[in-house]
Amino acid sequence: MSLLRMVGRPMLASMFVAGGLHALRRPGDLVPAAEPVVRAVAERVAVLPDSTEQLVRLNGAVHVVGGALLGLGRCPRLAALALAATLVPTTLAAHRYWEAQDPSDRAQQRIHFLKNLSMMGGLLIAADDTGSAPSLLWRGRHAAHDLRHDAHLVRRSVRATARPAATAGGVRARLGV
């Protein structure tokens, strides 16, 4: 693992672990801001619990687990995708700068909104990072290419040896050997 990955992943993950722990310990602090987004998401996704507090805790748990996995480099691509997916409703719930009336509050919320947007960009880059190892898609394509190449070589070698073998068999048959 490169030094940049070893240092960068925990740095990116730290915000999620800290925020997730806060959501798990004190979900009541976040419920009022999350309520409008939770209602909209819960209507569309029947699997989710109806309670806003439970969803805040669930989101916090995903942030803690995903952040820990990303920071430790365990399943970092999956962890980054999970964090990116949960960052969308988190950002929409907590940083609705377009609804703020006070100009300083609006500016502050816009900064936090853009910060979360940039974190999402980092997570998407982390989700695409294969750690210098070929991706499964690349490995599958090259394995298929290698199989086609091997099949072509087998077909050519069979054709190259079949004609002389048939000729030798015919000669043997005429000679009665």
Side-chain angles (χ1 to χ4, degrees):
M1 178 187 294
S2 76
L3 179 63
L4 289 177
R5 283 185 191 91
M6 194 167 64
V7 173
R9 285 179 181 161
M11 290 171 70
L12 181 59
S14 65
M15 186 71 173
F16 294 99
V17 173
L21 287 173
H22 176 73
L24 284 172
R25 288 182 188 147
R26 297 175 44 192
D29 295 351
L30 306 171
V31 167
E35 187 65 38
V37 175
V38 166
R39 271 188 270 118
V41 172
E43 289 173 2
R44 290 180 177 85
V45 183
V47 178
L48 295 175
D50 293 333
S51 169
T52 302
E53 187 172 321
Q54 287 178 337
L55 279 174
V56 167
R57 280 195 172 146
L58 178 64
N59 191 50
V62 171
H63 281 193
V64 170
V65 172
L69 289 173
L70 179 64
L72 294 172
R74 303 286 183 220
C75 303
R77 297 177 75 192
L78 182 62
L81 276 177
L83 290 172
T86 60
L87 190 58
V88 172
T90 301
T91 302
L92 292 175
H95 306 299
R96 303 169 73 86
Y97 70 91
W98 53 91
E99 292 178 353
Q101 301 299 322
D102 181 37
S104 66
D105 186 38
R106 179 183 289 244
Q108 194 68 18
Q109 289 301 325
R110 185 181 303 121
I111 288 170
H112 287 297
F113 183 87
L114 294 173
K115 172 202 50 120
N116 281 14
L117 195 64
S118 64
M119 285 175 33
M120 184 174 299
L123 288 169
L124 293 176
I125 290 169
D128 189 47
D129 179 27
T130 60
S132 299
S135 69
L136 291 176
L137 181 63
W138 185 90
R139 290 183 212 173
R141 285 180 181 161
H142 282 272
H145 176 266
D146 292 346
L147 283 173
R148 282 193 300 272
H149 179 71
D150 291 348
H152 178 71
L153 289 177
V154 168
R155 186 172 52 240
R156 285 186 63 193
S157 67
V158 166
R159 284 182 183 164
T161 57
R163 193 167 289 147
T167 304
V171 170
R172 284 182 146 182
R174 284 189 206 144
L175 294 175
V177 180

